[in-house]
Amino acid sequence: MKTEVFTSHPLPQTESSIRSTDPKQFVTYCYGIFFASGAAALILEISWSRQIGLLFGHTTHAAAVVLAGYFVGLAIGSSFGGRIARRVNPLRAYAVAELIVTAWACLIPLLLSASESATGALLLRNDSPAIQLLLRAVFCLTLLLPATVALGSTLPLMTEFLSRRNGFELAQVSRAYALNTVGAVVGVVATTTFLLVVVGIEASGFVAAGISACCATAAFMLDHRAGRPGRTVQIVVGDSPVSTATDSGTMIGWKVLAGVFGFGTLAMEVLYLRLFSLVFHNSTYTFGTVVAVFLLSLALGAWLSSILMKRLAPHVLLVGCSWLGGALLAMSVLLFVKLTGLRYFEAGESFAGYILSATLLVAVIVLPPVTILGMSLPAIWKVSTVRSADASKHVGSTTMVNTLAAAAGSVTASFVMLPMLGLWNSFAAMALVFGVVSCVLLQRLQRSGLSLSALLCVAAIVAPLLIPPGPERWAKSTGEQLIRRWHSSYGWVDVVKDNSDGSLKVRQNRHYRFGSTGREAQRMYRQAHLPLLLHPQPRDVAFLGLGTGLTAAGAVSHDQLESITIVELIPEVIDAARLLSDANFGIVDHPQTHIDIDDARHFLRATDQPFDVIVSDLFVPWESETGYLYTVEHYQQARSRLREDGLFCQWLPLYQLGAVEFEMIANSFANVFPRTTLWWGQLQSRRSIVALVGTAKTLELDESKIDRRIEQLSATGMFHDDELSSARRLHERLGGGWPVRTDAVLNTDEHPRIEFRTPASHQNGQLLQSERLHRYFDQVMLKLPPGDANVRFEARENPPADEQQRRDWLRFILLSGAK
């Protein structure tokens, strides 16, 4: 094979070009700039998605809208950049694009702040979910378009510059793309481990803007040193001359193929994220780990393609990518089940060890198939540019199709494939798609017999995924019987039966349990009874979170209530709760119940209904973005929805919090509710829960009125709680008042510290359980002030215990392990 070089008419060379630096050094500088640009792009994507999520609510639909808007902008930019690249100074245009990113990244927080006004919020709401989704999509696209178009244009502009310097060498473009993706990996890791919590959400966007500004400055300086070289296009081909005419029909075919690979690649990312959510603790760290390894695999694939395309024809490479990628994709799922047994992942003796072990597991599963499939886009660039001197245009247009299809793949996987096909069948479908692609390519190469064999081989590997119940049949038994499963856009929602006692549980993704109808039921009812009894005359109550429905069910027996509002994020949980209707008193279909499917933060922002009591359920604090339900801004929004004498009750699982995190939440709460009291919902060594109750006024508790209400509750036959059998027993649950601390570090939307601290405390064994809880109880909780809860006790034979006796009693309960 020989190399032929086709060169267009060179542009006149200036004196500066004669003095220019070695072309190899220019390529190295370009690689460095493109690496930094990739890091900035991912920092911006994560920062923007979180900022917009606070406006829309952290739902899967909102996340999909933001991602689609981001990718559509990138796609438009890729096409635009490819069209203008030949008519401009490409490196100078690249610098201008980075400056646009810088400027717009600084403007987006201001634009989002303006959209939060009453007028802006009204424009983004509609009674029709479809129209509201469309309004949000248009808003996101418009908001992000200037910056994302500029980001998308950088690849074709860099391609054009490299072509003019050294002739078009696909290997250089592939390496630049690979380094840009490696930069994205660095951006993901830096953002999820440091920037978001230490620097801040908005501030991270400003950091990325600074990086883009540095990229622009470096590009301007490099352009000044580069001068104006002649434009050459070097094309590596076989022995026969190649025409520069472009076959439009062939080009369409390659773009369709680019779309298929783009669709499949992003669909795979969604599927892998869902796969690992079955075993990981699902913090931002573990999600970041999966995304980082996925991007690193794509970068490695692009780099390998730059090497292999010197030895293999691109058609042959694409056949290998599609066939081997499909086969490895199916095999990776089987290997995942073999290595994990679908058990909760607990490797590593510390948080650092956990993350390292998780990264190794993800790499073993994800790296082989994604690396192979990552070679596809550079190979398509080569076959789509080999017959044209206008390389940057075709790189841009091909990347546009790939990016648009990627956005479609992400949305389709989340909202069509997973709910309709389920996780295992979705993996099987994608593996078969790549198998079919290899078959079609072999047919084009006139290898009909080989094409059928290749497809049958992939089908044989995929077959185990299609046999119900999929790879779960190899997982270790958990002592539970699956009653029903829903494949939601948030993962699996299961109702299972405990074989030991017959109780029913609702769980998400196998390991996150919403509660049980067994021994936990009384404690869950108490989570409604306690705050409702603390209010003198509750009429309207809101529960943030449904779960099993048992907590909200506690409100059914309170006859004075006029409405029960429940906010639930996952629609399928509502159907699951219906299967527990005997235990939750049919709360889902109760005539007083209204269920709002929404993010709790967004619900409180959108509703104008006032409430007497708002009860926030137990939320796992280390789950990604759950920490926003423990921020100052969330509590401020909740307080604005309370009537003058209303109260907000925040239930906290001490066994999922370290001492620092508990105090951070309590301080954030007390910063909004100066009259904050702490009440014990369950006092035991390993699974203690407490309630922070916030009011605008001092709690006034009348013993006779509370006793009368408890008698009425008991008469309904739905109240059997010895821990709340009288006003005095209720008062015994009081742990004290939480003082306002002006110098405390708070959990805020800008610095969501709880979300990032609790995973480390969880893995490092610093949670408030057993001996650690005992010490904290003695050192801190027993020394809390009495609190703003005035109780009027009547004169009776047995006077109420004084403050010290009550606290001694609490300590006795804790040490005895009573429930």
Side-chain angles (χ1 to χ4, degrees):
M1 179 174 287
K2 66 180 182 179
T3 300
E4 299 187 16
V5 180
F6 299 90
T7 307
S8 63
H9 295 290
L11 296 171
Q13 296 211 357
T14 64
E15 183 180 353
S16 62
S17 69
I18 298 173
R19 298 195 305 266
S20 63
T21 309
D22 183 352
K24 291 184 178 180
Q25 289 183 316
F26 280 111
V27 173
T28 302
Y29 295 150
C30 288
Y31 288 166
I33 293 171
F34 218 38
F35 169 86
S37 179
L42 260 292
I43 295 171
L44 287 172
E45 181 185 348
I46 295 171
S47 174
W48 291 341
S49 65
R50 286 197 169 237
Q51 291 179 61
I52 298 173
L54 289 172
L55 177 64
F56 288 171
H58 287 288
T59 66
T60 55
H61 288 86
V65 164
V66 176
L67 184 66
Y70 186 87
F71 271 69
V72 169
L74 291 179
I76 295 172
S78 295
S79 178
F80 176 74
R83 292 179 180 276
I84 68 169
R86 294 190 69 194
R87 301 196 294 270
V88 298
N89 180 321
L91 200 54
R92 194 171 300 171
Y94 179 96
V96 171
E98 292 286 5
L99 287 178
I100 293 173
V101 173
T102 301
W104 203 254
C106 294
L107 280 174
I108 279 181
L110 298 176
L111 297 173
L112 283 172
S113 179
S115 67
E116 291 177 357
S117 65
T119 303
L122 184 62
L123 293 174
L124 292 173
R125 281 187 217 136
N126 195 281
D127 293 336
S128 168
I131 295 176
Q132 178 169 282
L133 191 63
L134 178 62
L135 290 172
R136 291 180 174 186
V138 172
F139 172 81
C140 275
L141 182 60
T142 305
L143 178 71
L144 303 179
L145 196 63
T148 51
V149 167
L151 282 171
S153 68
T154 56
L155 177 60
L157 289 171
M158 185 63 74
T159 299
E160 180 67 20
F161 175 75
L162 293 174
S163 300
R164 291 189 186 183
R165 295 302 307 173
N166 307 307
F168 177 65
E169 295 181 14
L170 200 283
Q172 286 186 349
V173 178
S174 297
R175 284 194 288 269
Y177 176 72
L179 285 169
N180 183 260
T181 309
V182 172
V185 174
V186 173
V188 169
V189 174
T191 307
T192 55
T193 59
F194 175 76
L195 290 176
L196 290 181
V197 65
V198 176
V199 178
I201 304 299
E202 286 187 11
S204 294
F206 295 141
V207 169
I211 296 174
S212 294
C214 290
C215 290
T217 303
F220 274 126
M221 294 174 63
L222 188 60
D223 175 69
H224 178 71
R225 298 179 63 184
R228 294 176 177 271
R231 184 181 190 280
T232 63
V233 178
Q234 176 178 310
I235 306 169
V236 181
V237 297
D239 295 329
S240 57
V242 177
S243 167
T244 58
T246 301
D247 183 339
S248 61
T250 302
M251 281 301 303
I252 292 174
W254 291 123
K255 288 180 179 178
V256 169
L257 187 62
V260 172
F261 276 105
F263 181 96
T265 301
L266 260 291
M268 283 170 55
E269 181 180 12
V270 171
L271 296 180
Y272 275 126
L273 284 168
R274 186 61 45 77
L275 183 69
F276 284 100
S277 71
L278 298 178
V279 298
F280 284 166
H281 64 213
N282 296 326
S283 67
T284 298
Y285 296 107
T286 55
F287 280 114
T289 296
V290 178
V291 172
V293 172
F294 194 91
L295 290 173
L296 185 62
S297 303
L298 291 177
L300 182 59
W303 192 277
L304 288 175
S305 70
S306 69
I307 299 172
L308 293 177
M309 281 190 291
K310 296 178 181 178
R311 299 171 175 82
L312 296 174
H315 302 74
V316 175
L317 186 60
L318 284 169
V319 170
C321 287
S322 53
W323 182 83
L324 187 58
L328 288 174
L329 176 60
M331 293 171 64
S332 71
V333 180
L334 304 179
L335 180 61
F336 171 83
V337 177
K338 177 68 176 177
L339 293 177
T340 66
L342 297 182
R343 293 183 294 272
Y344 191 70
F345 188 75
E346 295 181 313
E349 297 181 357
S350 65
F351 177 65
Y354 176 88
I355 293 298
L356 178 59
S357 301
T359 302
L360 291 174
L361 174 64
V362 176
V364 168
I365 303 301
V366 171
L367 201 66
V370 179
T371 298
I372 295 299
L373 291 167
M375 294 189 283
S376 60
L377 184 58
I380 295 173
W381 284 341
K382 183 165 186 176
V383 294
S384 63
T385 57
V386 75
R387 295 183 180 275
S388 173
D390 199 356
S392 56
K393 177 180 178 181
H394 288 293
V395 167
S397 61
T398 303
T399 306
M400 176 197 71
V401 174
N402 181 268
T403 306
L404 282 175
S410 176
V411 173
T412 302
S414 295
F415 301 108
V416 179
M417 294 173 64
L418 284 167
M420 294 182 64
L421 300 178
L423 181 61
W424 311 126
N425 288 345
S426 294
F427 269 109
M430 291 314 308
L432 287 173
V433 165
F434 291 124
V436 170
V437 168
S438 68
C439 182
V440 172
L441 289 172
L442 285 169
Q443 289 281 359
R444 289 177 60 88
L445 293 174
Q446 298 181 349
R447 298 290 192 272
S448 301
L450 187 58
S451 69
L452 180 59
S453 300
L455 184 59
L456 290 174
C457 184
V458 172
I461 298 172
V462 168
L465 300 180
L466 299 172
I467 303 173
E472 275 185 281
R473 60 186 176 278
W474 300 313
K476 185 178 179 180
S477 174
T478 60
E480 296 175 338
Q481 176 187 349
L482 179 64
I483 303 300
R484 186 172 174 184
R485 168 168 294 164
W486 291 263
H487 297 280
S488 78
S489 56
Y490 295 89
W492 290 344
V493 175
D494 298 336
V495 173
V496 296
K497 181 179 181 180
D498 190 319
N499 293 330
S500 63
D501 61 8
S503 63
L504 295 179
K505 305 174 183 178
V506 179
R507 69 184 186 189
Q508 182 184 3
N509 291 331
R510 287 182 62 88
H511 300 293
Y512 177 32
R513 305 187 191 282
F514 294 126
S516 168
T517 62
R519 289 171 293 182
E520 292 184 13
Q522 197 61 255
R523 184 265 300 170
M524 297 177 74
Y525 297 143
R526 189 180 302 147
Q527 288 178 220
H529 291 311
L530 190 148
L532 288 172
L533 287 171
L534 292 178
H535 191 282
Q537 188 63 36
R539 291 167 293 163
D540 302 293
V541 60
F543 291 92
L544 306 184
L546 173 64
T548 59
L550 270 69
T551 295
V556 172
S557 56
H558 292 257
D559 294 335
Q560 71 272 36
L561 287 175
E562 297 174 4
S563 70
I564 303 171
T565 300
I566 303 173
V567 186
E568 174 55 49
L569 180 66
I570 307 174
E572 289 77 10
V573 168
I574 299 170
D575 295 326
R578 280 194 172 96
L579 296 186
L580 279 64
S581 58
D582 289 343
N584 63 33
F585 311 134
I587 186 65
V588 172
D589 300 305
H590 194 277
Q592 288 178 301
T593 299
H594 171 73
I595 298 181
D596 206 305
I597 302 173
D598 201 352
D599 169 74
R601 287 285 303 265
H602 185 259
F603 168 79
L604 292 174
R605 178 194 296 272
T607 188
D608 57 1
Q609 180 181 354
F611 297 99
D612 298 294
V613 177
I614 299 177
V615 181
S616 185
D617 210 341
L618 300 167
F619 299 109
V620 179
W622 56 71
E623 290 256 334
S624 180
E625 297 176 351
T626 301
Y628 285 118
L629 296 176
Y630 297 117
T631 64
V632 170
E633 291 83 358
H634 173 57
Y635 296 139
Q636 289 172 340
Q637 193 69 61
R639 182 174 180 178
S640 71
R641 293 294 172 261
L642 289 173
R643 292 192 173 101
E644 185 179 358
D645 60 346
L647 65 85
F648 183 83
C649 175
Q650 172 69 74
W651 287 103
L652 295 175
L654 292 185
Y655 55 92
Q656 292 175 341
L657 295 166
V660 173
E661 294 85 63
F662 168 70
E663 292 185 6
M664 193 178 296
I665 294 174
N667 291 331
S668 300
F669 190 93
N671 183 269
V672 178
F673 296 98
R675 290 176 171 83
T676 294
T677 49
L678 183 149
W679 300 77
W680 289 95
Q682 180 167 278
L683 187 57
Q684 59 176 225
S685 294
R686 291 193 57 82
R687 296 182 66 84
S688 287
I689 70 168
V690 297
L692 296 174
V693 175
T695 58
K697 301 178 179 179
T698 299
L699 282 174
E700 298 288 345
L701 307 180
D702 186 297
E703 181 185 19
S704 60
K705 290 182 179 180
I706 292 175
D707 283 341
R708 189 160 52 250
R709 286 175 62 187
I710 291 174
E711 290 176 5
Q712 293 172 348
L713 290 174
S714 300
T716 65
M718 294 182 283
F719 179 85
H720 309 281
D721 192 346
D722 292 337
E723 301 296 328
L724 299 178
S725 59
S726 67
R728 300 190 184 203
R729 295 302 307 272
L730 171 64
H731 184 247
E732 288 175 357
R733 316 301 295 185
L734 176 62
W738 193 267
V740 178
R741 299 172 183 175
T742 56
D743 60 341
V745 176
L746 306 180
N747 189 50
T748 64
D749 286 351
E750 178 65 7
H751 295 279
R753 297 180 173 92
I754 294 299
E755 177 183 343
F756 289 87
R757 286 191 58 94
T758 49
S761 295
H762 172 47
Q763 296 301 144
N764 291 333
Q766 297 175 340
L767 303 180
L768 289 172
Q769 298 181 22
S770 303
E771 290 302 320
R772 188 176 295 274
L773 175 61
H774 294 168
R775 289 196 300 271
Y776 187 77
F777 187 87
D778 287 341
Q779 295 169 5
V780 177
M781 292 189 167
L782 286 181
K783 298 177 181 178
L784 292 176
D788 291 318
N790 294 331
V791 185
R792 292 195 296 274
F793 288 107
E794 299 176 357
R796 294 186 181 179
E797 293 183 4
N798 298 317
D802 63 23
E803 189 64 24
Q804 186 58 47
Q805 289 176 316
R806 186 179 61 78
R807 296 189 179 198
D808 289 344
W809 174 244
L810 287 174
R811 190 173 189 278
F812 171 77
I813 295 174
L814 175 63
L815 294 178
S816 66
K819 299 179 181 178

